[in-house]
């Protein structure tokens, strides 16, 4: 995804803070994995509507002037619809409501990592044990030194996933599905002919394959489906009534939701086959509730809570667009770290499926937090809009 659009905005102190986040956010949004394949320029064909519909909900926050200004300029030629939730208050622009259900793509990874860390806390999984101890049938012997921790923080060195169903396959791609076991088998078969794998723990390469292994590892250890564990451990305890991990053959998305198009084709209904890597559906309010609980330590005991913000001290791989070739930026908890200002970092996660670009970011102390989802027209990259929304929302 290229930066072909620069957001126009008044040059004030809050907008200047966007510069500090640009590279990290650019890296996050341009990531392409099994959960975001084909989503680089999702085209939403809904007709733009004028104005912004503010929907104040219960909570201490307000839609601050900077974010109101950004949302007030939508929809436009690039974004057909947008919704945000900032510090407890929601707003929407275009043909979408603030309480709409959205496909959250790779934001799913943070849910997955949380379930695994809960099992670590229960001593059912050893964080630094070889992953093959639990799923020997999934990982070839060449990867026998890969640990659970390295799957969580993307330092496993697993190979790049094979291509999965996406718009590149032409009309009807959204009805196709693929099992995580098949993605792993085909990927490792293709990688076997390319030489020795990258040494685990030597560098960070964002890779959705890690999450597929983790999801299957959870199933092996618990004897239950990953969806059941997700429901039992996170969704029900936090009362996330609008969050789910649908089965791969469930193409539907609950109402209300935006209608989205890719290359003129309605792809609102599509297979959530990315599963533990990128298949979940949620709302801005539910994402806000989940991440707030995660940041406040409500889901993990203290020892594992420290890992939520623990980024490995390794370099980013040359092809790791997420961290833009600099230091590693993903934590054991699945969060992405980026520099917000001179003395502060923000944390969150982006995710894409064709038709949706969604995410959550917050200051570690939750002074400000934002959940968002955009429906792109495909005219240009939505990245500058994401930068503007996140930067405005996290500004004091």
């Amino acid at each position: 995804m290229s930066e072909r659009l620069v957001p126009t905005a008044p040059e004030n102190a809050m907008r200047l803070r966007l510069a500090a986040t640009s590279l990290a956010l650019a890296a996050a949004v341009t990531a392409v994995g099994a959960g975001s394949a084909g989503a680089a320029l999702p085209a939403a064909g809904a007709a733009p509507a004028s104005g912004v519909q503010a929907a104040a909900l219960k909570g201490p926050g307000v839609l601050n002037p900077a974010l109101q200004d950004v949302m007030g300029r939508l929809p436009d030629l690039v974004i057909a619809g947008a919704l945000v939730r900032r510090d407890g208050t929601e707003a929407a622009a275009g043909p979408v409501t603030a309480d709409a259900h959205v496909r959250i793509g790779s934001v799913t990874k943070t849910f997955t990592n949380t379930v695994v860390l809960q099992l670590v806390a229960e001593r059912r999984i050893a964080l630094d044990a070889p992953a093959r101890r639990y799923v020997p049938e999934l990982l070839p012997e060449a990867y026998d030194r890969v640990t659970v921790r390295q799957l969580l923080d993307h330092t496993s060195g697993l190979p790049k996933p094979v291509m999965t169903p996406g718009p590149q396959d032409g009309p009807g791609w959204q009805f196709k599905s693929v099992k995580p076991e098949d993605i792993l088998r085909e990927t490792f078969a293709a990688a076997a002919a390319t030489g020795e794998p990258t040494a685990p723990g030597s560098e960070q390469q964002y890779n959705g394959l890690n999450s597929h292994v983790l999801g299957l590892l959870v199933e092996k250890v618990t004897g239950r489906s990953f969806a059941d564990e997700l429901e039992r451990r996170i969704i029900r305890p936090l009362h996330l009534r609008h969050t789910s991990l649908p089965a791969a053959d469930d193409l539907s998305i609950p109402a209300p939701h935006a209608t989205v198009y890719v290359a003129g084709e309605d792809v609102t209904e599509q297979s959530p086959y990315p599963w533990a890597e990128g298949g979940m559906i949620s709302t801005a309010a539910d994402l806000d509730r989940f991440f707030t609980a995660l940041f406040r330590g409500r889901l993990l005991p203290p020892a594992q809570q420290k890992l939520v913000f623990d980024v490995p001290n390794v370099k980013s791989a040359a092809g790791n667009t997420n961290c833009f070739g600099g230091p590693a930026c993903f934590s054991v908890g699945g969060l992405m770290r980026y520099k917000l200002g001179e003395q502060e970092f923000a944390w969150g996660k982006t995710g894409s499926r064709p038709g949706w670009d969604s995410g959550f970011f917050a200051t570690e102390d939750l002074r400000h937090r934002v959940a968002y989802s955009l429906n792109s027209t495909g005219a240009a990259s939505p990245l500058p809009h994401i930068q503007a929304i996140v930067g405005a929302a996290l500004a004091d």
Side-chain angles (χ1 to χ4, degrees):
M1 184 182 295
S2 58
E3 292 192 53
R4 292 183 287 174
L5 178 70
V6 177
T8 57
E11 294 185 0
N12 53 40
M14 286 181 284
R15 293 307 166 81
L16 290 176
R17 296 179 67 176
L18 293 177
T21 67
S22 294
L23 292 182
L25 282 174
V29 179
T30 53
V32 177
S36 57
L41 288 175
S50 60
V52 57
Q53 308 117 32
L57 302 181
K58 290 181 180 179
V62 297
L63 200 63
N64 61 329
L67 186 54
Q68 181 70 39
D69 179 57
V70 173
M71 292 293 288
R73 298 197 303 272
L74 298 177
D76 60 14
L77 294 177
V78 178
I79 302 299
L83 63 87
V84 298
R85 180 182 175 94
R86 191 256 189 187
D87 294 354
T89 296
E90 292 184 341
V96 61
T97 57
D99 60 346
H101 293 79
V102 301
R103 298 189 188 275
I104 66 173
S106 289
V107 180
T108 303
K109 291 181 175 69
T110 311
F111 287 80
T112 300
N113 284 32
T114 301
V115 171
V116 173
L117 288 176
Q118 288 177 340
L119 290 168
V120 170
E122 296 166 11
R123 300 182 182 276
R124 301 173 72 179
I125 294 176
L127 187 65
D128 293 308
R132 289 191 82 241
R133 173 187 298 181
Y134 306 101
V135 284
E137 70 282 2
L138 293 180
L139 296 173
E141 290 186 8
Y143 302 91
D144 60 0
R145 293 191 295 139
V146 173
T147 67
V148 175
R149 182 194 297 267
Q150 290 162 348
L151 293 173
L152 290 166
D153 67 16
H154 297 285
T155 61
S156 65
L158 295 188
K160 181 180 179 180
V162 294
M163 189 67 72
T164 51
Q168 73 280 349
D169 297 324
W173 64 266
Q174 68 271 27
F175 308 123
K176 299 176 182 178
S177 180
V178 58
K179 295 180 179 179
E181 296 92 338
D182 293 337
I183 295 175
L184 290 168
R185 185 179 61 255
E186 294 176 15
T187 297
F188 289 128
T194 63
E196 292 295 318
T198 301
S202 61
E203 60 185 21
Q204 187 175 74
Q205 175 63 67
Y206 182 76
N207 188 343
L209 215 63
N210 295 312
S211 301
H212 284 307
V213 176
L214 290 169
L216 292 167
L217 190 154
V218 168
E219 294 193 333
K220 188 68 174 288
V221 168
T222 64
R224 302 184 184 92
S225 73
F226 178 73
D228 285 346
E229 287 298 292
L230 194 63
E231 184 80 23
R232 187 170 72 91
R233 293 172 174 274
I234 297 178
I235 293 176
R236 281 205 303 269
L238 294 183
H239 305 289
L240 305 181
R241 297 182 177 87
H242 305 288
T243 299
S244 64
L245 177 60
D249 60 354
D250 183 358
L251 309 183
S252 65
I253 181 170
H257 59 75
T259 300
V260 298
Y261 295 83
V262 171
E265 185 176 14
D266 184 343
V267 298
T268 309
E269 293 195 342
Q270 55 182 265
S271 171
Y273 73 84
W275 191 56
E277 190 270 323
M280 291 181 69
I281 291 170
S282 191
T283 63
D286 273 11
L287 288 180
D288 191 9
R289 183 185 290 267
F290 165 68
F291 280 101
T292 297
L294 180 64
F295 279 42
R296 288 181 175 166
R298 290 179 53 200
L299 293 169
L300 296 166
Q304 286 69 45
Q305 182 64 22
K306 292 179 181 178
L307 298 173
V308 171
F309 302 99
D310 183 16
V311 176
N313 186 24
V314 298
K315 67 177 182 178
S316 283
N320 190 7
T321 57
N322 299 83
C323 303
F324 208 70
C329 65
F330 285 99
S331 72
V332 179
L335 297 178
M336 175 192 161
R337 178 184 68 185
Y338 72 93
K339 194 172 184 179
L340 183 62
E342 291 299 322
Q343 302 292 329
E344 187 175 26
F345 288 97
W347 299 83
K349 187 70 185 75
T350 59
S352 298
R353 290 299 296 150
W356 288 271
D357 286 283
S358 306
F360 177 93
F361 283 92
T363 55
E364 187 172 347
D365 62 4
L366 292 174
R367 184 176 73 258
H368 296 303
R369 62 195 193 275
V370 62
Y372 66 86
S373 186
L374 308 181
N375 304 121
S376 173
T377 66
S381 168
L383 172 59
H385 292 75
I386 294 173
Q387 293 174 337
I389 286 171
V390 173
L394 298 187
D396 289 326

